[in-house]
Amino acid sequence: SIYGLISSAWKKVNDGLKVKVTIPPNTTAEVKIPLDKGMKLLVDEKDVSDNPDVTISNRYDSHIVLEVIPGKYTFATQK
């Protein structure tokens, strides 16, 4: 983007998923992560609710939608 690098990468890890995201300054992003019922979502190895830079917008049966401010994040799902 004109504001800087936007990137994402993912890989399957054990029974979950690891997603790395970079959001440039002066922007926000909507990030959708596959998340089945009973799975936990971590951001930078901490519970998603402990990160003030990440807001849960919606939860669905198959995924979660997050609003994210600029920065670098590693999301991980686990059972």
Side-chain angles (χ1 to χ4, degrees):
S1 88
I2 61 172
Y3 297 106
L5 178 69
I6 300 170
S7 69
S8 66
W10 65 272
K11 68 178 177 177
K12 200 163 172 77
V13 179
N14 299 323
D15 290 335
L17 188 68
K18 184 178 269 190
V19 180
K20 292 186 177 189
V21 177
T22 301
I23 310 302
N26 302 314
T27 63
T28 59
E30 181 178 271
V31 178
K32 296 178 184 176
I33 307 276
L35 190 70
D36 292 331
K37 285 190 178 216
M39 293 190 82
K40 197 158 84 166
L41 178 63
L42 304 177
V43 181
D44 301 325
E45 300 183 5
K46 296 179 182 168
D47 190 82
V48 66
S49 61
D50 293 336
N51 190 318
D53 298 339
V54 178
T55 303
I56 298 171
S57 295
N58 277 307
R59 287 181 189 250
Y60 299 95
D61 288 340
S62 62
H63 66 281
I64 191 167
V65 180
L66 309 166
E67 290 293 324
V68 182
I69 67 170
K72 291 184 179 186
Y73 305 92
T74 300
F75 297 96
T77 63
Q78 40 180 240
K79 288 188 177 187

